[in-house]
Amino acid sequence: TAATNFSDSPGGGRVFWTTFFGRRASVELQVPYWREAVARGLVDEVHLWDYTRQKSDARWLARDLARLPFVRVFRPAARRSLGDWQDFYDHYATALGPDDILLKVDDDIVWIDPDWARFAAFLRYRRARAKDVFVLSANVVNNGVCAHFQRAAGCLPADGPGAPFAYPDGGLYGALWASPDAALVVLA
């Protein structure tokens, strides 16, 4: 399969796959996707932000993943509280060029559609609309923040019995995160 190198394309920038690394058990499922995306020229670098809690996860990150030629590991300063990702935002506020694409992929994503032509089309779509759209987000079904904005846009039914779409306190957790049954309402 021919590579589509977005870094060398006219008007193109770099593509970064970035993950808040916390758990080896789920992140190791992403490694084959990283390899394939880089080999196809769709992703330039994988950035792993070290938010590990277990020493064994931190060792695997430092010993194995950091040695991959396309991986960069970032070790943020001590977080002041759960959900404090300020180092991440500060870094990309100055590091990204105007045509760069930042793919924020949670560490618990365990499957990605291997249709690389669709992935490339997404990157072209994003780049073509860079001036109009700041953030594109996946349809995450157990995330109260996503559901709140999807409901506001008319994509989900109004609040009521069985529709737990209230914005979660502080943007964390909430009914959809805590309850698989509540998250299923989004899919109904």
Side-chain angles (χ1 to χ4, degrees):
T1 305
T4 304
N5 191 332
F6 284 88
S7 297
D8 296 333
S9 62
R14 301 163 298 170
V15 177
F16 302 107
W17 178 307
T18 185
T19 300
F20 293 171
F21 182 96
R23 301 166 283 193
R24 175 183 180 169
S26 53
V27 171
E28 69 185 341
L29 298 173
Q30 290 185 21
V31 176
Y33 296 111
W34 302 343
R35 290 181 190 281
E36 188 67 22
V38 169
R40 290 175 177 268
L42 299 171
V43 169
D44 295 292
E45 292 181 6
V46 174
H47 293 180
L48 301 177
W49 288 78
D50 185 355
Y51 289 107
T52 56
R53 295 182 189 162
Q54 304 295 321
K55 288 182 182 179
S56 60
D57 291 333
R59 278 192 304 273
W60 184 65
L61 174 60
R63 184 189 67 225
D64 297 329
L65 295 182
R67 292 184 181 167
L68 294 173
F70 53 83
V71 169
R72 287 185 59 198
V73 175
F74 295 85
R75 290 186 175 78
R79 291 190 291 173
R80 294 169 289 283
S81 64
L82 182 64
D84 178 8
W85 319 116
Q86 195 61 49
D87 289 340
F88 171 85
Y89 294 112
D90 289 347
H91 172 75
Y92 291 112
T94 59
L96 293 177
D99 294 320
D100 291 344
I101 295 176
L102 182 66
L103 303 168
K104 168 63 178 73
V105 182
D106 286 354
D107 73 341
D108 59 355
I109 301 296
V110 297
W111 184 82
I112 297 171
D113 186 343
D115 184 343
W116 295 105
R118 285 183 65 193
F119 188 86
F122 166 78
L123 295 175
R124 284 191 299 277
Y125 175 89
R126 174 63 186 101
R127 190 149 286 135
R129 285 154 184 82
K131 305 296 185 252
D132 302 325
V133 178
F134 176 66
V135 174
L136 291 176
S137 178
N139 184 19
V140 181
V141 298
N142 72 332
N143 183 291
V145 174
C146 289
H148 169 80
F149 288 107
Q150 291 162 349
R151 182 186 52 81
C155 301
L156 297 174
D159 281 334
F165 305 131
Y167 192 90
D169 289 338
L172 298 173
Y173 308 116
L176 293 172
W177 182 84
S179 169
D181 293 331
L184 287 174
V185 172
V186 176
L187 298 176

